[in-house]
Amino acid sequence: METRKIMEDADHYLMPTYSRFPIVLRKGRGVKVWDTNGKEYLDFVGGIAVNVLGHCHPQVVVAIQKQAQRLLHVSNLYHIEPQVRLAKLLVMNSFADKVFFCNSGAEANEAAIKIARKYAHEHFGAECFEIISTFNSFHGRTIATLTATGQTKFQKGFEPLLPGFKHVPFNNIDALRAAVSERTCAVMLEPIQAEGGINLPSEDYLTQVRELCDEKKLLLILDEVQTGMGRTGKLFAYEHYGITPDIMSLAKGLGGGVPIGAMLATDKVAAVFQPRTHASTFGGNPLVCAAAIAAIEALLEDGLVLDQCNRMSRYLLDRLNQLQEEYEGKVVDVRGKGLLIAMELMREGVPYVTACMERGVLIGLAGAGNILRFTPPLIVEERDIDHMIDVLEDVLEKVP
Ligand code: PLP
């Protein structure tokens, strides 16, 4: 189909939940994608932190092909070998003892909210159900996860939201402590707020949150949907901060590009999920689990991808900091961890992102729209970063 026709049909047949850029992407390899006109782009969006291994990683592709020939789907009424293998891999490499599989980040958080409430019901009674989350957080678009999300712009028009959620400022342990009551069952946080603008926790914030949760017998839910799977330079972001959660949600990078989510928990918490308490028809289906196993194995192989991520993180931050010095009238701040990096601008970012796209570089946005978000594949190389920086410099120079 011709490019223009695809875009016309998109307007005609798709609900306009996205304001899409006017290109149609057809092919991807590594850090590059190509559109229907054959134009090449360097992809610093990476499916918004999904494509940790780049596009069409050969091990993931082969795993999908092999599994597709063997078995695509069976019900969770039966044992599914790739699902068990994937759960074991996640458990062996994290704080968790048990895994529940679903299909997206929102569903993983939905499961996290449900298990926290169920745990509190069983241990502390039905009056204990409140979850404290933070302003500027993003946890998903289902009604529960939207309620947990601390940004009114996503909630407008969908009221009434669910009872049982409170929000406090991120990075403020006193506000969190003051918000805890008899009714509180859990604290829910992104270790680094991603959609909200790549907001990093202060050095001791997460340790203090963990201590507070222990003191008040609250569950700590970490939403690692965006920060997980190597994005911040360690497999999970909590590893940077010397703490472990009770519950963690994953999605995005987990499947190497296929839709899968997971909610992980300690045995103590997991015990409250019994047959018929929660379920998902597609959750942990053979095809997506085979892809995710291949993705995690490739991600962890000799630590090479994580090393690359950390090296490229330093390089990208250096280069962006140089740009900030050069364009201090336009760039307010550069920050991030691993390859979850922000460049905050004085102005609305869409014109900059559009100009970069026209020059063959895809960059994302976060926060109030004035933050450029860089979430390239973790296998990105120095020459890719150099090329992106040249383009961005040109754009900062020319776009007012
Ligand atoms: N949690 C976080 C931290 C996210 O960044 C996102 C998506 O951007 C979600 C949850 C929702 O994930 P999904 O879009 O897969 O439902």
Side-chain angles (χ1 to χ4, degrees):
M1 231 193 301
E2 193 209 331
T3 306
R4 183 188 301 274
K5 174 83 171 113
I6 297 170
M7 295 197 282
E8 277 169 14
D9 280 3
D11 285 345
H12 202 86
Y13 296 111
L14 292 174
M15 294 200 193
T17 53
Y18 285 86
S19 42
R20 295 173 202 266
F21 290 97
I23 58 172
V24 182
L25 298 176
R26 176 169 278 167
K27 196 176 102 176
R29 280 286 175 286
V31 293
K32 290 182 179 156
V33 286
W34 288 265
D35 71 13
T36 34
N37 299 319
K39 180 172 168 178
E40 183 179 292
Y41 301 84
L42 256 182
D43 187 5
F44 276 74
V45 175
I48 315 186
V50 166
N51 301 96
V52 285
L53 296 167
H55 293 276
C56 298
H57 188 279
Q59 279 162 253
V60 177
V61 170
V62 168
I64 291 172
Q65 285 168 337
K66 280 193 181 155
Q67 187 60 45
Q69 284 172 338
R70 192 177 303 133
L71 185 66
L72 285 175
H73 180 83
V74 284
S75 167
N76 274 308
L77 291 172
Y78 310 99
H79 291 282
I80 297 170
E81 189 197 345
Q83 185 182 119
V84 180
R85 284 178 51 212
L86 177 59
K88 188 170 171 187
L89 258 178
L90 287 171
V91 165
M92 306 270 282
N93 287 288
S94 74
F95 74 97
D97 300 309
K98 297 272 191 297
V99 186
F100 171 82
F101 287 111
C102 51
N103 312 287
S104 67
E107 279 178 68
N109 283 330
E110 188 80 26
I113 291 165
K114 283 184 72 178
I115 205 168
R117 280 192 172 189
K118 187 88 170 42
Y119 179 88
H121 272 222
E122 291 190 10
H123 290 80
F124 308 112
E127 289 303 305
C128 181
F129 59 85
E130 212 165 69
I131 294 178
I132 304 176
S133 152
T134 56
F135 291 120
N136 267 325
S137 59
F138 185 83
H139 298 297
R141 304 278 193 161
T142 64
I143 283 290
T145 58
L146 190 65
T147 308
T149 292
Q151 302 189 58
T152 47
K153 70 178 180 198
F154 295 118
Q155 299 167 333
K156 231 169 142 227
F158 296 107
E159 301 87 352
L161 300 173
L162 278 190
F165 289 86
K166 259 190 196 168
H167 297 90
V168 294
F170 187 65
N171 258 338
N172 184 334
I173 192 69
D174 295 334
L176 180 60
R177 180 176 281 279
V180 174
S181 75
E182 300 272 276
R183 299 159 81 85
T184 312
C185 74
V187 173
M188 182 168 186
L189 289 176
E190 296 162 85
I192 298 169
Q193 289 188 330
E195 296 297 314
I198 324 288
N199 304 317
L200 296 159
S202 58
E203 200 52 43
D204 49 0
Y205 177 60
L206 292 173
T207 326
Q208 291 172 328
V209 173
R210 178 70 269 179
E211 283 166 7
L212 180 65
C213 288
D214 291 342
E215 181 193 323
K216 304 281 185 186
K217 295 194 169 53
L218 311 177
L219 296 174
L220 176 58
I221 305 171
L222 286 186
D223 177 348
E224 293 238 21
V225 166
Q226 190 150 165
T227 54
M229 307 321 293
R231 176 56 50 193
T232 68
K234 291 195 184 276
L235 187 57
F236 305 114
Y238 71 76
E239 296 172 43
H240 291 287
Y241 302 103
I243 58 146
T244 57
D246 302 291
I247 301 168
M248 173 172 74
S249 51
L250 296 176
K252 289 201 185 270
L254 177 58
V258 302
I260 179 170
M263 186 272 288
L264 289 73
T266 57
D267 266 334
K268 174 184 89 167
V269 178
V272 302
F273 262 15
Q274 291 294 319
R276 288 174 292 282
T277 37
H278 194 54
S280 166
T281 296
F282 286 118
N285 134 319
L287 186 73
V288 295
C289 287
I293 292 167
I296 297 184
E297 283 176 347
L299 186 61
L300 294 180
E301 214 172 293
D302 305 323
L304 290 181
V305 179
L306 293 181
D307 283 353
Q308 179 72 4
C309 170
N310 286 310
R311 269 201 314 276
M312 291 306 106
S313 170
R314 287 190 290 274
Y315 189 66
L316 178 52
L317 281 168
D318 275 356
R319 300 284 335 249
L320 289 173
N321 279 321
Q322 284 161 14
L323 277 190
Q324 183 188 353
E325 277 174 28
E326 245 175 274
Y327 294 93
E328 54 181 11
K330 292 184 176 174
V331 180
V332 179
D333 190 29
V334 169
R335 58 181 177 268
K337 204 165 191 74
L339 287 169
L340 181 59
I341 291 181
M343 176 181 253
E344 187 168 341
L345 303 174
M346 293 289 270
R347 302 191 44 198
E348 161 66 22
V350 170
Y352 296 90
V353 165
T354 305
C356 286
M357 186 189 74
E358 285 161 5
R359 291 161 171 78
V361 172
L362 304 181
I363 296 173
L365 287 164
N370 64 324
I371 294 172
L372 302 185
R373 173 173 26 178
F374 303 87
T375 47
L378 311 185
I379 54 157
V380 69
E381 294 179 12
E382 251 178 49
R383 59 177 175 191
D384 306 317
I385 293 174
D386 289 339
H387 181 75
M388 183 280 288
I389 293 285
D390 286 347
V391 166
L392 184 57
E393 182 163 17
D394 185 45
V395 166
L396 283 170
E397 182 68 41
K398 293 191 178 132
V399 175

